[in-house]
Amino acid sequence: MAATVGLTLEHVGTVASELADRLGFNRVTVSALARELGVKPASLYAHVRGLDALREIVGTRAHAVLAADLTRATAGLHKRAALAAAAEAMLEMSRRHPGLWQASRAHFAGEDFVAAGRRVSAILGEVIRGYGLPASEVPHAVRIIGSSIGGFIGLDDTGGFSHSDPETAASWQRLIDVLDGALSHWPTAPGTATAASTPDGRSASDATPVAPIATTNAPLATATTTPTEETR
């Protein structure tokens, strides 16, 4: 099928992402996007294979946005300062781009989506390495820290904390304190060295290079989202 003149995959992805922020990720459908673009749904199939492919494009963009935000927020920071900055970057994205945030919680198997998600995990991994954890523990910490922050944001977004005291902001700061404490006193698996830090913040095991996790770790705190049936 020939592509509609003036319609590109880049433009389709941009408008789909904007639609996700405005309506919600699960309301992004081929039909809804076609209406937004002023074209027939059939015209979009020259650019995307279907609903899952369309949402995967949005999810990939979401990870790219989050990776850029995390990189800017944590540059030059270490330990608690870097952890707090990363958490705030995630919180800010959920507020500034609610649809993209939802898309970053979804799961798809495409190479671009997986690579973008691993980039997010790698950035969080660098924050965690600053605490001096052994390389073998970094993937566990990425999952635990990422899911804790993402889970808190998700509950807050759905009003899960709206009927109790104290203010959510206070609990948010306590979450960062707890995660900082956990990373500072990380329990290692049997048979591995304890993650002790030297006065300058380096791990006692820093003589051994830490292997990168980008090729082995799953996307940050990714939760499976079951796409809704598209209605035309």
Side-chain angles (χ1 to χ4, degrees), residues 38-64:
V39 300
K40 294 181 178 180
S43 300
L44 292 177
Y45 289 104
H47 302 279
V48 296
R49 296 185 305 275
L51 178 60
D52 285 346
L54 175 60
R55 289 180 175 173
E56 185 169 333
I57 289 171
V58 177
T60 301
R61 282 172 165 258
H63 281 311

Side-chain angles (χ1 to χ4, degrees), residues 49-209:
R49 296 185 305 275
L51 178 60
D52 285 346
L54 175 60
R55 289 180 175 173
E56 185 169 333
I57 289 171
V58 177
T60 301
R61 282 172 165 258
H63 281 311
V65 169
L66 181 55
D69 288 351
L70 287 170
T71 298
R72 284 192 297 269
T74 61
L77 302 179
H78 304 283
K79 290 194 171 183
R80 191 188 190 285
L83 175 65
E88 290 293 338
M90 294 168 70
L91 178 62
E92 176 60 23
M93 178 178 170
S94 75
R95 293 172 172 172
R96 190 175 74 253
H97 295 295
L100 288 183
W101 175 256
Q102 293 166 6
S104 74
R105 307 296 90 193
H107 173 72
F108 299 98
E111 291 183 5
D112 290 345
F113 179 87
V114 172
R118 284 177 173 167
R119 175 58 182 156
V120 172
S121 295
I123 297 168
L124 190 58
E126 287 304 311
V127 172
I128 289 168
R129 291 174 205 275
Y131 283 87
L133 272 66
S136 61
E137 291 297 309
V138 172
H140 302 303
V142 166
R143 294 170 180 170
I144 292 168
I145 301 303
S147 61
S148 297
I149 295 171
F152 189 104
I153 292 172
L155 284 170
D156 189 33
D157 284 345
T158 57
F161 305 136
S162 61
H163 302 297
S164 61
D165 292 323
E167 291 293 326
T168 305
S171 296
W172 174 254
Q173 293 303 318
R174 290 295 292 139
L175 173 66
I176 295 173
D177 289 340
V178 168
L179 296 179
D180 174 59
L183 290 171
S184 298
H185 303 88
W186 191 262
T188 56
T192 62
T194 301
S197 296
T198 59
D200 63 0
R202 295 182 297 109
S203 167
S205 61
D206 272 352
T208 302

